[in-house]
Amino acid sequence: MKHIDFSNVAITGGFWKKRQDLSRKTTVKAVFDRFTDTGRFAGLNCDWKEGKPNAPHVFWDSDVAKWLEGAIYTNRQKPNASLEKKINKTIDTFLKNQTPEGYFNSHFQTQEQDRRFTDMDKHELYCAGHWMEAAVAHFEATGDRRFLEGLSRYTDYIIDRFVVKKDTGFDVPGHEEIELALLRMYDVTGDEKYLNLSLHFLNERGINPRGLQHAQGLHPERTWITAPYCQNHLPVREQKVAVGHAVRAVYLYTAMADAAAKTGDQGLKDACEALFRDITEKKMFISGTIGSSSQGEAFTVDYDLCNLLAYSETCASIGLIYFAQKMLAMDPDSRYSDVIERSLYNSVLTSTSLDGKAFFYENPQETVPYLHTRDSGKSAIKWPKMQRQEVFNCSCCPPNIVRLIPSLGNYIASLDGDTVYLHQYMNGTVDLGNGKVLKIDTKYPENGKITLTVTGGDATLKARVPGWCVNHGYETVKGYTTLNLKDGRAVTLNFPMKVRFLEARPDAIFNCGRCAVQYGPVLYCAEEMDNGKNLRDLTLVARSRWVKGIHPELKVPTLTGRAFRRVFAEGELYRERGGAVEETKVTLIPYYAFSNRQANEMLLWFQVK
Ligand code: FUB
Ligand code: ZN
């Protein structure tokens, strides 16, 4: 099954159109300005000298490449001369400063000229992978082959060093990315060299520890660089448990799944199925975020879903979407498209401020200001920041958002022969090819009514019945219900929405006895500014008449219901159970809207009766 490319999808109204407009009008420029201010674009000139400011960092190229990829997607959707100029300037600078043998790296070409490919932890292949993805985006958008050919030369150089001469200080990337990028290069060129190099890096992983040992020797202070940290502990087909740095992991798993689909490799497919289950059944927060620990930005153990200390990097959520998308391509099961939905509405959206200019790197799953600031940053516990920022030293997440939002159309529909699969519900049109167009009319996620009309002929369509929808009455296979759409005749799906209270399994100890609140695909939270402090003390009344509204300041949906809080006497720290309580009301907002005012308490998991 092949997803229908976003270039054949027009999101023309509603919830996601607003976000794509915000991205195009604000976010792309905000990140460009930050990258200009911090010297990331200037670094591409590869002319930094000792004593000058803004020495290019080992992964600045990847930040720019992700921004460039997102800018290309954005410009493809709605051409903009000034953006196109920035795009072309960036590409021209890359091509101008590529070395004769095809190498490009603004850090190494200015600060470590004679240490190319010696240090597994210095991101050279990670940066090369992101340039490849930008080059694919540019070729697909324009048909111009210059950038793509530049990366073809770079690939030939990497093959020469890692496969032919084998004269490098390591055998596989310290940060996976190039594996999935090479498969995208293969998709657009059909040149087997890309497929073979990707398979080479996948097959070499977890075999020879020399590269890792060398990197550990170079950086003894980086105690987190272990084999599991970069998934180098086992051959990939033996990896059934998600471990290590979460972004590295899901980028690897994305490549493994794509390679499995391309080659029919059952070992890769089996490993991916086990890894996807391990993540989504034991290591995923209810928001769709992953990577519990700041130590290594990593997975830890099963059910380590502590909301207060959650790390939950934005890039990891995006990588999980990529992984789920590749799994979905192999097996149209709503297990995968439900996870994509959960992450889109509740982690990707939450990472970005409502004004589109600030971002979470780590995404708090609960905030209690006096705890988050108790150590004033001097403790081993790294409390997540409670507010989004506009500028980061390590700025991998913002450009990842910049490239995801304009390409959301990639996640809406797929074709399996003549059968259309409809995975996500966004208002707009999908070009099905052969003169057929699918029109999607919906106010989702405000309500669950979706009106579908195909023109240009009839269509067999399998529509995902969202996992959050119970009592829907549809016959489903792997979560999809079949509709036979007749040319020009509208069919309406109805997924009734109600306020739902979700509980976690007993192993997920941090949430025992509490419930999360979800309406449709959207998770709701409480903020102190709307409900007073000590949110954890609130007991929500499930059977309240939950009233939908619009927040007067944030202009986002609200849910208001009844709740109780306990009333303690002054100075009373402990008391007999069953003391005084008072009834109050609770106002919930979408989790994606929290922390757009000031740092304050935020809670996702409530006592409910
Ligand atoms: O190392 C490159 C990126 O920077 C990783 O993917 C993120 O976790 C951040 O550490
Ligand atoms: Zn990141």
Side-chain angles (χ1 to χ4, degrees), residues 285-319:
F285 289 87
I286 194 158
S287 55
T289 60
I290 55 174
S292 302
S293 172
S294 62
Q295 303 299 312
E297 306 180 284
F299 291 113
T300 55
V301 294
D302 295 352
Y303 311 116
D304 176 12
L305 301 170
C306 173
N307 299 300
L308 273 170
L309 294 176
Y311 191 74
S312 298
E313 180 179 350
T314 297
C315 290
S317 302
I318 293 172

Side-chain angles (χ1 to χ4, degrees), residues 316-464:
S317 302
I318 293 172
L320 179 60
I321 289 174
Y322 295 159
F323 180 26
Q325 175 83 335
K326 294 301 179 189
M327 295 303 284
L328 188 61
M330 277 196 284
D331 174 12
D333 186 320
S334 64
R335 277 188 303 145
Y336 305 119
S337 33
D338 276 347
V339 166
I340 291 173
E341 177 177 77
R342 178 172 295 283
S343 188
L344 283 177
Y345 285 92
N346 303 299
S347 58
V348 169
L349 267 189
T350 309
S351 71
T352 307
S353 57
L354 291 176
D355 70 7
K357 294 179 186 162
F359 305 88
F360 279 129
Y361 179 114
E362 63 260 41
N363 289 268
Q365 306 298 306
E366 179 178 357
T367 55
V368 179
Y370 70 82
L371 285 179
H372 282 246
T373 54
R374 73 173 194 190
D375 301 319
S376 58
K378 294 194 182 60
S379 90
I381 294 179
K382 187 170 182 294
W383 294 87
K385 285 185 178 51
M386 290 185 283
Q387 288 198 284
R388 299 172 186 86
Q389 298 163 267
E390 292 193 15
V391 189
F392 295 84
N393 285 334
C394 175
S395 191
C396 48
C397 299
N400 235 343
I401 290 289
V402 165
R403 65 175 181 153
L404 178 69
I405 298 298
S407 58
L408 280 174
N410 283 336
Y411 302 95
I412 292 180
S414 307
L415 283 175
D416 187 5
D418 288 336
T419 302
V420 184
Y421 276 85
L422 185 57
H423 308 297
Q424 304 300 332
Y425 297 107
M426 301 180 187
N427 207 64
T429 56
V430 180
D431 182 342
L432 302 175
N434 307 321
K436 285 187 198 173
V437 175
L438 173 68
K439 190 168 183 303
I440 306 167
D441 272 313
T442 183
K443 290 191 175 3
Y444 197 93
E446 194 183 307
N447 64 50
K449 270 185 71 184
I450 297 111
T451 300
L452 303 171
T453 315
V454 66
T455 50
D458 298 350
T460 303
L461 184 138
K462 292 182 186 294
R464 173 177 66 101

Side-chain angles (χ1 to χ4, degrees), residues 79-132:
N80 172 303
S82 132
L83 184 58
E84 191 147 337
K85 206 159 148 241
K86 293 183 173 87
I87 290 168
N88 292 332
K89 183 168 181 247
T90 307
I91 294 171
D92 293 343
T93 308
F94 173 91
L95 294 171
K96 176 167 164 270
N97 293 292
Q98 214 177 353
T99 65
E101 62 277 16
Y103 181 85
F104 182 90
N105 188 297
S106 64
H107 169 83
F108 279 82
Q109 286 174 243
T110 57
Q111 301 159 77
E112 300 195 61
Q113 291 84 339
D114 56 355
R115 286 203 290 274
R116 278 185 204 170
F117 299 143
T118 56
D119 184 342
M120 183 174 176
D121 194 46
K122 284 206 170 169
H123 289 69
E124 286 163 285
L125 295 176
Y126 170 81
C127 291
H130 280 302
W131 285 123
M132 287 177 192

Side-chain angles (χ1 to χ4, degrees), residues 4 12 49 51 55 72 119 130 133 343 345 347 414 501 509 520 599:
I4 294 176
T12 53
K49 295 272 184 300
I72 291 166
D119 184 342
H130 280 302
E133 291 202 78
S343 188
Y345 285 92
S347 58
S414 307
F501 296 89
I509 57 168

Side-chain angles (χ1 to χ4, degrees), residues 281 284-286 303 305 307 501-516 605-606:
E281 294 173 5
M284 182 178 74
F285 289 87
I286 194 158
Y303 311 116
L305 301 170
N307 299 300
F501 296 89
L502 305 174
E503 57 183 12
R505 61 177 300 114
D507 312 77
I509 57 168
F510 295 105
N511 297 319
C512 281
R514 289 181 169 267
C515 290
W605 287 90
F606 300 89

